[in-house]
Amino acid sequence: MTENESTTEDLALRLSRWLPATPDEAFDAYTDAEKQKTWFSILDDEPGIVEIDVDLRVGGTQTAVWGPSRDQLFREVQTFVEIDRPHRLVTDSTGSDPSGAEMTTHVEVTFEADGDGTLMTVVQSGFPVPEVRDFFTSEVWVGAFDRVEAFLRTPAARLP
């Protein structure tokens, strides 16, 4: 392998965040469409577009469309490969940005009881280049964790 080559394993990320909730509450916040609609925009100054449909079963899909306006939408379709509620969720995810650029990755999310909260860990693989993986590591997942955590700190998080 030359100095500039990477293996698929190199193009994976692993991140964890402690969340102030039980594994059941964290799993539900991450997978329930109505709860996602709240946390997707919970930290935004200006409301944007958030549309989410979830068919939470192996072989089912979650479709999320979001962005600041109709002409600047991101789209992600996740196909559920494994569901072990509230411990583990595995998906194959295909996302696109407003330009139409598309990427497919494999995502494993675990929810592990940790004291009076939950350790949520994400392992995502299949990135096309290190720069995209690094962007997901430093921006995408940090932002998602921030939003889920902010949601879990609200009273709405405890509603069925």
Side-chain angles (χ1 to χ4, degrees):
M1 184 173 351
T2 68
E3 186 176 309
N4 293 329
E5 287 183 291
S6 297
T7 66
T8 303
E9 186 175 299
D10 292 336
L11 297 181
L13 64 79
R14 179 184 182 91
L15 297 168
S16 295
R17 171 79 64 94
W18 184 89
L19 300 172
T22 67
D24 285 305
E25 292 166 335
F27 186 94
D28 288 348
Y30 188 72
T31 60
D32 179 270
E34 292 308 311
K35 292 178 180 186
Q36 287 182 53
K37 288 176 188 175
T38 300
W39 66 254
F40 252 76
S41 58
I42 199 166
L43 299 177
D44 295 343
D45 293 331
E46 296 287 326
I49 296 165
V50 178
E51 299 169 356
I52 300 174
D53 270 329
V54 178
D55 179 9
L56 188 60
R57 62 180 176 82
V58 172
T61 60
Q62 171 182 297
T63 302
V65 178
W66 72 97
S69 65
R70 285 271 166 220
D71 60 342
Q72 296 179 343
L73 292 176
F74 294 84
R75 178 181 180 85
E76 180 181 31
V77 177
Q78 295 187 61
T79 301
F80 297 107
V81 175
E82 181 183 334
I83 302 169
D84 178 13
R85 185 184 187 284
H87 309 288
R88 181 175 161 84
L89 185 70
V90 179
T91 64
D92 288 325
S93 172
T94 299
S96 61
D97 67 17
S99 75
E102 198 171 271
M103 174 180 74
T104 298
T105 61
H106 184 77
V107 182
E108 299 175 21
V109 183
T110 57
F111 303 86
E112 180 183 351
D114 183 22
D116 60 351
T118 296
L119 186 65
M120 180 178 170
T121 300
V122 175
V123 177
Q124 187 170 10
S125 59
F127 293 101
V129 294
E131 294 79 12
V132 174
R133 179 210 47 216
D134 296 347
F135 175 73
F136 271 68
T137 300
S138 64
E139 298 290 330
V140 173
W141 280 110
V142 169
F145 282 146
D146 288 348
R147 291 168 188 277
V148 171
E149 181 176 352
F151 173 77
L152 288 169
R153 292 188 184 280
T154 69
R158 306 297 186 250
L159 298 175

Short mmCIF file of all heavy atoms in Angstrom, two decimals, residues 45-98:
data_model
loop_
_atom_site.label_atom_id
_atom_site.label_comp_id
_atom_site.label_asym_id
_atom_site.label_seq_id
_atom_site.Cartn_x
_atom_site.Cartn_y
_atom_site.Cartn_z
N ASP A 45 -31.68 28.52 15.26
CA ASP A 45 -32.27 29.83 15.50
C ASP A 45 -33.49 30.04 14.62
O ASP A 45 -34.47 30.65 15.03
CB ASP A 45 -31.24 30.93 15.21
CG ASP A 45 -30.10 30.94 16.21
OD1 ASP A 45 -30.32 30.52 17.36
OD2 ASP A 45 -28.99 31.34 15.82
N GLU A 46 -33.41 29.58 13.39
CA GLU A 46 -34.51 29.72 12.43
C GLU A 46 -35.07 28.33 12.13
O GLU A 46 -34.31 27.41 11.82
CB GLU A 46 -33.99 30.34 11.12
CG GLU A 46 -33.47 31.74 11.26
CD GLU A 46 -34.59 32.75 11.47
OE1 GLU A 46 -35.68 32.55 10.91
OE2 GLU A 46 -34.36 33.71 12.22
N PRO A 47 -36.39 28.18 12.20
CA PRO A 47 -36.96 26.87 11.86
C PRO A 47 -36.75 26.57 10.38
O PRO A 47 -36.85 27.46 9.53
CB PRO A 47 -38.43 27.02 12.20
CG PRO A 47 -38.70 28.49 12.21
CD PRO A 47 -37.39 29.15 12.54
N GLY A 48 -36.42 25.35 10.10
CA GLY A 48 -36.26 24.92 8.72
C GLY A 48 -37.27 23.84 8.41
O GLY A 48 -38.30 23.71 9.07
N ILE A 49 -36.97 23.07 7.42
CA ILE A 49 -37.83 21.96 7.00
C ILE A 49 -37.29 20.68 7.61
O ILE A 49 -36.09 20.39 7.51
CB ILE A 49 -37.85 21.87 5.46
CG1 ILE A 49 -38.48 23.14 4.88
CG2 ILE A 49 -38.57 20.61 5.00
CD1 ILE A 49 -38.25 23.33 3.43
N VAL A 50 -38.15 19.92 8.26
CA VAL A 50 -37.79 18.61 8.80
C VAL A 50 -38.96 17.67 8.54
O VAL A 50 -40.05 17.89 9.06
CB VAL A 50 -37.48 18.65 10.31
CG1 VAL A 50 -37.16 17.25 10.83
CG2 VAL A 50 -36.34 19.60 10.62
N GLU A 51 -38.74 16.66 7.72
CA GLU A 51 -39.76 15.65 7.44
C GLU A 51 -39.13 14.28 7.69
O GLU A 51 -38.06 13.99 7.15
CB GLU A 51 -40.22 15.75 5.99
CG GLU A 51 -40.85 17.10 5.66
CD GLU A 51 -41.07 17.32 4.17
OE1 GLU A 51 -40.67 16.45 3.35
OE2 GLU A 51 -41.63 18.37 3.82
N ILE A 52 -39.76 13.48 8.52
CA ILE A 52 -39.20 12.17 8.88
C ILE A 52 -40.30 11.13 8.89
O ILE A 52 -41.37 11.35 9.46
CB ILE A 52 -38.50 12.22 10.25
CG1 ILE A 52 -37.35 13.24 10.22
CG2 ILE A 52 -37.99 10.84 10.66
CD1 ILE A 52 -36.68 13.48 11.54
N ASP A 53 -40.03 10.00 8.26
CA ASP A 53 -40.90 8.82 8.29
C ASP A 53 -40.07 7.65 8.78
O ASP A 53 -38.95 7.46 8.29
CB ASP A 53 -41.40 8.48 6.89
CG ASP A 53 -42.69 9.15 6.53
OD1 ASP A 53 -43.50 9.40 7.44
OD2 ASP A 53 -42.89 9.42 5.33
N VAL A 54 -40.62 6.86 9.70
CA VAL A 54 -39.89 5.71 10.23
C VAL A 54 -40.77 4.47 10.19
O VAL A 54 -41.90 4.50 10.67
CB VAL A 54 -39.43 5.96 11.69
CG1 VAL A 54 -38.72 4.74 12.25
CG2 VAL A 54 -38.52 7.18 11.77
N ASP A 55 -40.23 3.41 9.61
CA ASP A 55 -40.84 2.08 9.66
C ASP A 55 -39.83 1.20 10.39
O ASP A 55 -38.98 0.57 9.76
CB ASP A 55 -41.11 1.57 8.24
CG ASP A 55 -41.72 0.18 8.20
OD1 ASP A 55 -42.10 -0.35 9.28
OD2 ASP A 55 -41.81 -0.38 7.10
N LEU A 56 -39.89 1.22 11.73
CA LEU A 56 -38.86 0.60 12.57
C LEU A 56 -39.05 -0.92 12.64
O LEU A 56 -39.66 -1.44 13.58
CB LEU A 56 -38.88 1.22 13.97
CG LEU A 56 -37.75 0.82 14.91
CD1 LEU A 56 -36.39 1.20 14.33
CD2 LEU A 56 -37.94 1.45 16.29
N ARG A 57 -38.54 -1.59 11.64
CA ARG A 57 -38.52 -3.05 11.58
C ARG A 57 -37.38 -3.44 10.65
O ARG A 57 -36.97 -2.65 9.78
CB ARG A 57 -39.84 -3.61 11.08
CG ARG A 57 -40.16 -3.17 9.67
CD ARG A 57 -41.48 -3.73 9.14
NE ARG A 57 -41.76 -3.17 7.83
CZ ARG A 57 -41.24 -3.61 6.68
NH1 ARG A 57 -40.41 -4.64 6.67
NH2 ARG A 57 -41.53 -3.03 5.53
N VAL A 58 -36.82 -4.63 10.85
CA VAL A 58 -35.76 -5.09 9.95
C VAL A 58 -36.31 -5.10 8.53
O VAL A 58 -37.40 -5.63 8.28
CB VAL A 58 -35.24 -6.48 10.38
CG1 VAL A 58 -34.28 -7.03 9.34
CG2 VAL A 58 -34.56 -6.39 11.74
N GLY A 59 -35.61 -4.44 7.62
CA GLY A 59 -36.06 -4.29 6.24
C GLY A 59 -36.84 -3.00 6.02
O GLY A 59 -37.02 -2.58 4.89
N GLY A 60 -37.30 -2.38 7.10
CA GLY A 60 -38.00 -1.11 7.00
C GLY A 60 -37.00 0.02 6.78
O GLY A 60 -35.78 -0.18 6.82
N THR A 61 -37.53 1.22 6.56
CA THR A 61 -36.66 2.36 6.32
C THR A 61 -37.05 3.55 7.18
O THR A 61 -38.17 3.66 7.66
CB THR A 61 -36.69 2.81 4.84
OG1 THR A 61 -38.03 3.19 4.51
CG2 THR A 61 -36.19 1.73 3.91
N GLN A 62 -36.07 4.41 7.33
CA GLN A 62 -36.30 5.74 7.88
C GLN A 62 -35.88 6.72 6.80
O GLN A 62 -34.75 6.64 6.29
CB GLN A 62 -35.46 5.96 9.12
CG GLN A 62 -35.51 7.41 9.58
CD GLN A 62 -34.65 7.67 10.78
OE1 GLN A 62 -34.90 7.12 11.83
NE2 GLN A 62 -33.64 8.51 10.61
N THR A 63 -36.77 7.62 6.45
CA THR A 63 -36.46 8.66 5.48
C THR A 63 -36.51 10.00 6.19
O THR A 63 -37.51 10.34 6.81
CB THR A 63 -37.46 8.64 4.31
OG1 THR A 63 -37.42 7.35 3.69
CG2 THR A 63 -37.11 9.71 3.28
N ALA A 64 -35.42 10.73 6.11
CA ALA A 64 -35.34 12.06 6.71
C ALA A 64 -34.97 13.07 5.62
O ALA A 64 -34.03 12.83 4.84
CB ALA A 64 -34.30 12.09 7.82
N VAL A 65 -35.72 14.16 5.56
CA VAL A 65 -35.46 15.26 4.64
C VAL A 65 -35.42 16.52 5.49
O VAL A 65 -36.34 16.77 6.27
CB VAL A 65 -36.57 15.35 3.57
CG1 VAL A 65 -36.32 16.53 2.64
CG2 VAL A 65 -36.69 14.05 2.78
N TRP A 66 -34.34 17.28 5.37
CA TRP A 66 -34.21 18.48 6.20
C TRP A 66 -33.36 19.52 5.50
O TRP A 66 -32.55 19.20 4.63
CB TRP A 66 -33.64 18.15 7.57
CG TRP A 66 -32.19 17.79 7.56
CD1 TRP A 66 -31.14 18.62 7.83
CD2 TRP A 66 -31.60 16.52 7.23
NE1 TRP A 66 -29.95 17.95 7.70
CE2 TRP A 66 -30.21 16.65 7.34
CE3 TRP A 66 -32.12 15.28 6.86
CZ2 TRP A 66 -29.33 15.60 7.07
CZ3 TRP A 66 -31.25 14.24 6.60
CH2 TRP A 66 -29.88 14.40 6.72
N GLY A 67 -33.55 20.77 5.91
CA GLY A 67 -32.74 21.86 5.39
C GLY A 67 -33.40 23.19 5.64
O GLY A 67 -34.54 23.26 6.12
N PRO A 68 -32.71 24.27 5.30
CA PRO A 68 -33.23 25.60 5.59
C PRO A 68 -34.38 26.01 4.66
O PRO A 68 -35.19 26.86 5.02
CB PRO A 68 -32.01 26.50 5.40
CG PRO A 68 -31.11 25.74 4.48
CD PRO A 68 -31.36 24.29 4.77
N SER A 69 -34.44 25.41 3.45
CA SER A 69 -35.49 25.76 2.50
C SER A 69 -35.68 24.60 1.52
O SER A 69 -34.86 23.68 1.46
CB SER A 69 -35.11 27.03 1.72
OG SER A 69 -33.96 26.78 0.92
N ARG A 70 -36.75 24.66 0.74
CA ARG A 70 -37.07 23.57 -0.20
C ARG A 70 -35.97 23.36 -1.25
O ARG A 70 -35.80 22.26 -1.76
CB ARG A 70 -38.39 23.83 -0.92
CG ARG A 70 -39.57 23.59 -0.04
CD ARG A 70 -40.04 22.14 -0.13
NE ARG A 70 -40.94 21.87 0.97
CZ ARG A 70 -40.95 20.75 1.66
NH1 ARG A 70 -40.12 19.78 1.38
NH2 ARG A 70 -41.78 20.58 2.64
N ASP A 71 -35.22 24.40 -1.58
CA ASP A 71 -34.17 24.24 -2.59
C ASP A 71 -32.80 23.92 -1.98
O ASP A 71 -31.80 23.86 -2.69
CB ASP A 71 -34.09 25.47 -3.51
CG ASP A 71 -33.78 26.75 -2.77
OD1 ASP A 71 -33.96 26.79 -1.53
OD2 ASP A 71 -33.38 27.72 -3.43
N GLN A 72 -32.74 23.71 -0.66
CA GLN A 72 -31.49 23.36 0.01
C GLN A 72 -31.72 22.20 0.98
O GLN A 72 -31.43 22.30 2.17
CB GLN A 72 -30.94 24.57 0.77
CG GLN A 72 -30.56 25.72 -0.12
CD GLN A 72 -30.04 26.90 0.70
OE1 GLN A 72 -30.25 26.98 1.90
NE2 GLN A 72 -29.36 27.80 0.03
N LEU A 73 -32.21 21.09 0.44
CA LEU A 73 -32.56 19.96 1.30
C LEU A 73 -31.51 18.85 1.27
O LEU A 73 -30.94 18.53 0.23
CB LEU A 73 -33.90 19.36 0.88
CG LEU A 73 -35.12 20.24 1.12
CD1 LEU A 73 -36.37 19.58 0.56
CD2 LEU A 73 -35.28 20.55 2.60
N PHE A 74 -31.28 18.28 2.44
CA PHE A 74 -30.51 17.06 2.59
C PHE A 74 -31.51 15.92 2.70
O PHE A 74 -32.64 16.12 3.15
CB PHE A 74 -29.66 17.12 3.87
CG PHE A 74 -28.60 18.16 3.83
CD1 PHE A 74 -28.89 19.48 4.15
CD2 PHE A 74 -27.30 17.83 3.45
CE1 PHE A 74 -27.91 20.46 4.11
CE2 PHE A 74 -26.31 18.80 3.40
CZ PHE A 74 -26.61 20.11 3.73
N ARG A 75 -31.10 14.73 2.29
CA ARG A 75 -31.99 13.57 2.34
C ARG A 75 -31.17 12.37 2.78
O ARG A 75 -30.05 12.17 2.31
CB ARG A 75 -32.61 13.33 0.97
CG ARG A 75 -33.51 12.12 0.90
CD ARG A 75 -34.06 11.97 -0.54
NE ARG A 75 -34.92 10.84 -0.64
CZ ARG A 75 -36.22 10.84 -0.35
NH1 ARG A 75 -36.79 11.94 0.05
NH2 ARG A 75 -36.95 9.75 -0.48
N GLU A 76 -31.77 11.56 3.67
CA GLU A 76 -31.12 10.33 4.09
C GLU A 76 -32.17 9.23 4.20
O GLU A 76 -33.22 9.43 4.80
CB GLU A 76 -30.44 10.51 5.45
CG GLU A 76 -29.74 9.24 5.93
CD GLU A 76 -29.09 9.40 7.28
OE1 GLU A 76 -29.60 10.18 8.11
OE2 GLU A 76 -28.07 8.73 7.50
N VAL A 77 -31.86 8.10 3.60
CA VAL A 77 -32.72 6.92 3.71
C VAL A 77 -31.88 5.83 4.36
O VAL A 77 -30.84 5.43 3.83
CB VAL A 77 -33.26 6.44 2.34
CG1 VAL A 77 -34.08 5.17 2.52
CG2 VAL A 77 -34.08 7.54 1.68
N GLN A 78 -32.33 5.40 5.54
CA GLN A 78 -31.65 4.32 6.25
C GLN A 78 -32.53 3.07 6.17
O GLN A 78 -33.71 3.13 6.45
CB GLN A 78 -31.45 4.69 7.73
CG GLN A 78 -30.51 5.86 7.91
CD GLN A 78 -30.21 6.06 9.38
OE1 GLN A 78 -29.66 5.17 10.03
NE2 GLN A 78 -30.55 7.21 9.91
N THR A 79 -31.91 1.97 5.81
CA THR A 79 -32.61 0.68 5.82
C THR A 79 -32.16 -0.06 7.07
O THR A 79 -30.96 -0.25 7.29
CB THR A 79 -32.27 -0.13 4.55
OG1 THR A 79 -32.66 0.64 3.41
CG2 THR A 79 -33.01 -1.47 4.55
N PHE A 80 -33.12 -0.49 7.88
CA PHE A 80 -32.80 -1.17 9.13
C PHE A 80 -32.35 -2.61 8.86
O PHE A 80 -33.08 -3.40 8.28
CB PHE A 80 -34.01 -1.15 10.07
CG PHE A 80 -34.42 0.24 10.48
CD1 PHE A 80 -35.56 0.82 9.98
CD2 PHE A 80 -33.62 0.98 11.35
CE1 PHE A 80 -35.93 2.10 10.34
CE2 PHE A 80 -33.97 2.26 11.71
CZ PHE A 80 -35.14 2.83 11.20
N VAL A 81 -31.13 -2.91 9.28
CA VAL A 81 -30.52 -4.22 9.08
C VAL A 81 -30.66 -5.07 10.35
O VAL A 81 -30.89 -6.27 10.29
CB VAL A 81 -29.03 -4.06 8.71
CG1 VAL A 81 -28.33 -5.40 8.61
CG2 VAL A 81 -28.90 -3.27 7.41
N GLU A 82 -30.52 -4.41 11.51
CA GLU A 82 -30.63 -5.11 12.80
C GLU A 82 -31.24 -4.15 13.81
O GLU A 82 -30.85 -2.98 13.89
CB GLU A 82 -29.24 -5.54 13.26
CG GLU A 82 -29.20 -6.29 14.56
CD GLU A 82 -27.79 -6.63 15.02
OE1 GLU A 82 -26.89 -6.74 14.17
OE2 GLU A 82 -27.59 -6.76 16.24
N ILE A 83 -32.20 -4.67 14.59
CA ILE A 83 -32.81 -3.88 15.66
C ILE A 83 -32.85 -4.75 16.91
O ILE A 83 -33.47 -5.81 16.91
CB ILE A 83 -34.25 -3.44 15.29
CG1 ILE A 83 -34.25 -2.62 14.01
CG2 ILE A 83 -34.88 -2.66 16.45
CD1 ILE A 83 -35.64 -2.38 13.43
N ASP A 84 -32.17 -4.31 17.95
CA ASP A 84 -32.18 -4.97 19.24
C ASP A 84 -32.50 -3.90 20.27
O ASP A 84 -31.62 -3.38 20.96
CB ASP A 84 -30.83 -5.64 19.52
CG ASP A 84 -30.77 -6.31 20.89
OD1 ASP A 84 -31.84 -6.48 21.53
OD2 ASP A 84 -29.65 -6.63 21.33
N ARG A 85 -33.78 -3.52 20.33
CA ARG A 85 -34.22 -2.42 21.19
C ARG A 85 -34.03 -2.79 22.65
O ARG A 85 -34.42 -3.85 23.04
CB ARG A 85 -35.70 -2.12 20.92
CG ARG A 85 -36.18 -0.93 21.70
CD ARG A 85 -37.66 -0.66 21.52
NE ARG A 85 -38.00 0.57 22.17
CZ ARG A 85 -38.13 0.71 23.49
NH1 ARG A 85 -37.97 -0.31 24.29
NH2 ARG A 85 -38.42 1.88 24.00
N PRO A 86 -33.47 -1.97 23.48
CA PRO A 86 -32.93 -0.63 23.26
C PRO A 86 -31.41 -0.61 23.20
O PRO A 86 -30.79 0.39 23.54
CB PRO A 86 -33.41 0.12 24.50
CG PRO A 86 -33.23 -0.90 25.60
CD PRO A 86 -33.59 -2.22 24.93
N HIS A 87 -30.81 -1.70 22.76
CA HIS A 87 -29.35 -1.83 22.85
C HIS A 87 -28.58 -1.52 21.57
O HIS A 87 -27.47 -0.98 21.65
CB HIS A 87 -28.98 -3.25 23.29
CG HIS A 87 -29.72 -3.68 24.51
ND1 HIS A 87 -29.45 -3.17 25.77
CD2 HIS A 87 -30.74 -4.55 24.67
CE1 HIS A 87 -30.27 -3.72 26.64
NE2 HIS A 87 -31.06 -4.55 26.01
N ARG A 88 -29.16 -1.86 20.42
CA ARG A 88 -28.36 -1.80 19.19
C ARG A 88 -29.27 -1.56 17.98
O ARG A 88 -30.35 -2.12 17.89
CB ARG A 88 -27.62 -3.12 19.03
CG ARG A 88 -26.72 -3.24 17.84
CD ARG A 88 -25.96 -4.58 17.95
NE ARG A 88 -25.43 -5.01 16.69
CZ ARG A 88 -24.28 -4.60 16.19
NH1 ARG A 88 -23.53 -3.75 16.86
NH2 ARG A 88 -23.86 -5.05 15.03
N LEU A 89 -28.75 -0.75 17.06
CA LEU A 89 -29.46 -0.45 15.82
C LEU A 89 -28.41 -0.41 14.71
O LEU A 89 -27.40 0.28 14.82
CB LEU A 89 -30.14 0.92 15.94
CG LEU A 89 -31.02 1.36 14.79
CD1 LEU A 89 -32.29 0.50 14.74
CD2 LEU A 89 -31.39 2.83 14.95
N VAL A 90 -28.65 -1.17 13.64
CA VAL A 90 -27.72 -1.22 12.52
C VAL A 90 -28.48 -0.85 11.25
O VAL A 90 -29.57 -1.40 10.99
CB VAL A 90 -27.08 -2.61 12.37
CG1 VAL A 90 -26.13 -2.65 11.18
CG2 VAL A 90 -26.36 -3.01 13.65
N THR A 91 -27.91 0.08 10.47
CA THR A 91 -28.56 0.51 9.23
C THR A 91 -27.55 0.63 8.10
O THR A 91 -26.35 0.81 8.33
CB THR A 91 -29.25 1.89 9.40
OG1 THR A 91 -28.25 2.89 9.66
CG2 THR A 91 -30.29 1.88 10.49
N ASP A 92 -28.07 0.53 6.90
CA ASP A 92 -27.34 0.95 5.71
C ASP A 92 -27.97 2.27 5.32
O ASP A 92 -29.20 2.37 5.19
CB ASP A 92 -27.46 -0.08 4.59
CG ASP A 92 -26.66 -1.34 4.89
OD1 ASP A 92 -25.58 -1.22 5.50
OD2 ASP A 92 -27.10 -2.44 4.52
N SER A 93 -27.15 3.29 5.18
CA SER A 93 -27.64 4.65 5.02
C SER A 93 -27.17 5.25 3.69
O SER A 93 -25.98 5.22 3.39
CB SER A 93 -27.12 5.51 6.17
OG SER A 93 -27.42 6.86 5.96
N THR A 94 -28.12 5.79 2.94
CA THR A 94 -27.78 6.52 1.72
C THR A 94 -28.26 7.94 1.88
O THR A 94 -29.45 8.18 2.12
CB THR A 94 -28.43 5.87 0.48
OG1 THR A 94 -27.94 4.53 0.36
CG2 THR A 94 -28.08 6.64 -0.78
N GLY A 95 -27.33 8.87 1.79
CA GLY A 95 -27.66 10.27 1.97
C GLY A 95 -27.24 11.10 0.77
O GLY A 95 -26.35 10.71 0.02
N SER A 96 -27.92 12.24 0.62
CA SER A 96 -27.54 13.17 -0.45
C SER A 96 -27.62 14.58 0.09
O SER A 96 -28.39 14.88 1.00
CB SER A 96 -28.44 13.01 -1.67
OG SER A 96 -29.78 13.29 -1.33
N ASP A 97 -26.78 15.44 -0.48
CA ASP A 97 -26.78 16.85 -0.08
C ASP A 97 -27.55 17.66 -1.13
O ASP A 97 -28.01 17.09 -2.12
CB ASP A 97 -25.34 17.35 0.12
CG ASP A 97 -24.51 17.40 -1.15
OD1 ASP A 97 -25.08 17.35 -2.27
OD2 ASP A 97 -23.28 17.48 -1.04
N PRO A 98 -27.73 18.97 -0.91
CA PRO A 98 -28.51 19.76 -1.86
C PRO A 98 -28.00 19.73 -3.30
O PRO A 98 -28.77 19.93 -4.24
CB PRO A 98 -28.44 21.17 -1.28
CG PRO A 98 -28.28 20.96 0.18
CD PRO A 98 -27.38 19.75 0.28
#
